[in-house]
Amino acid sequence: MKLMFASDIHGSAYYCRKMLEAYRMEKAERLVLLGDILYHGPRNDLPREYAPKEVIAMLNPLKEEIYAVRGNCEAEVDQMVLEFPVLADYSLILADKVCFYATHGHVYNEKHLPPLKNGDVLIHGHTHVLRAEEKDGYFLLNPGSVSIPKEGNPPSYGIYEDGVFTIKGFDGEKLKELIF
C-alpha cells in the first residue's frame, strides 16, 4: 500500500495545489492529512495564496481518498465545510503489517507518547520540521509542513511504500528516508 502523508496546509491554495500535484504524480492510494488544513493560526504569518475556500474546493472531491486528523487549528466550523472527517485526534492505519499512529502532534508526540508497541510508527506534523528516525522501539516520523516549513526545511510531504518512508520536497528531491 502506498500512502502520502502531508501536514500543515494552513489554508494555502498554492501549496495545496502543489501537494495534490505530488499526490497524483506519486499515485498513492490514500492521502493522510495530519491537521491544520484551513486556518493559518495566530502564531503563523499568512501562507502564500491564503485562500481556505479554494483549499476546500480542491480537497472535497477527494473525500473518499483522504484520512485526516484534527490539528490545533481545526474547529467544528471546518467540519461543516469539509466533506471528510477532520475532528478525530488520531487515526490508526495498518499498512503492510506496519501500524501508523497518525496524529497532529500537539497532544501526542515524542514527549507524550500514545500507547505504542515495539515497531509501531508515530507520525505527526505540528512542528513544521521534518523527521524520520528510530526511537526507543518505535519510529518517529514528521513529513514537515506543506506551506510553512521551519528550521530551513523546504515545503515537504512523506510517502510510505513497501516498508520505506521517504520525505520529499515538491521538486521531487528526497530529503530523508527511513527503512522499517
Side-chain angles (χ1 to χ4, degrees), residues 30-104:
R30 296 284 182 169
L31 175 59
V32 183
L33 298 177
L34 299 172
D36 288 358
I37 298 168
L38 299 178
Y39 182 54
H40 65 91
R43 295 180 296 179
N44 296 312
D45 292 332
L46 286 173
R48 184 171 177 179
E49 288 185 34
Y50 180 68
K53 288 181 180 179
E54 288 183 43
V55 172
I56 293 164
M58 285 185 264
L59 294 178
N60 277 343
L62 299 174
K63 63 186 174 191
E64 292 90 8
E65 300 173 44
I66 294 175
Y67 296 147
V69 296
R70 180 183 198 145
N72 57 304
C73 292
E74 256 75 61
E76 289 181 18
V77 69
D78 297 341
Q79 188 61 82
M80 296 168 85
V81 296
L82 291 169
E83 296 174 5
F84 49 91
V86 296
L87 295 179
D89 289 328
Y90 66 92
S91 178
L92 295 176
I93 302 168
L94 297 172
D96 305 326
K97 299 183 182 179
V98 176
C99 181
F100 289 88
Y101 191 102
T103 190
H104 182 61

Side-chain angles (χ1 to χ4, degrees), residues 134-176:
E134 189 170 352
K135 303 280 284 180
D136 307 311
Y138 71 96
F139 297 95
L140 177 63
L141 306 176
N142 186 325
S145 173
V146 167
S147 69
I148 309 173
K150 296 186 178 172
E151 295 186 11
N153 290 301
S156 58
Y157 64 94
I159 292 291
Y160 169 79
E161 184 175 31
D162 298 327
V164 179
F165 185 78
T166 307
I167 300 173
K168 297 181 177 183
F170 290 118
D171 61 0
E173 177 187 3
K174 287 184 183 182
L175 304 170
K176 201 155 188 132

Side-chain angles (χ1 to χ4, degrees), residues 104-143:
H104 182 61
H106 65 295
V107 175
Y108 291 110
N109 52 58
E110 69 180 309
K111 293 179 181 165
H112 183 236
L113 292 173
L116 298 171
K117 290 175 64 175
N118 274 351
D120 283 352
V121 175
L122 173 60
I123 185 164
H124 67 80
H126 185 59
T127 64
H128 300 220
V129 178
L130 58 90
R131 290 181 76 183
E133 57 194 66
E134 189 170 352
K135 303 280 284 180
D136 307 311
Y138 71 96
F139 297 95
L140 177 63
L141 306 176
N142 186 325

Side-chain angles (χ1 to χ4, degrees), residues 2-58:
K2 187 173 187 178
L3 301 170
M4 180 171 168
F5 291 88
S7 190
D8 300 284
I9 301 167
H10 288 291
S12 171
Y14 177 84
Y15 284 107
C16 187
R17 278 190 295 278
K18 291 259 190 206
M19 177 191 72
L20 294 177
E21 287 168 11
Y23 178 65
R24 285 187 285 277
M25 186 267 309
E26 295 282 358
K27 295 183 172 82
E29 295 172 51
R30 296 284 182 169
L31 175 59
V32 183
L33 298 177
L34 299 172
D36 288 358
I37 298 168
L38 299 178
Y39 182 54
H40 65 91
R43 295 180 296 179
N44 296 312
D45 292 332
L46 286 173
R48 184 171 177 179
E49 288 185 34
Y50 180 68
K53 288 181 180 179
E54 288 183 43
V55 172
I56 293 164
M58 285 185 264

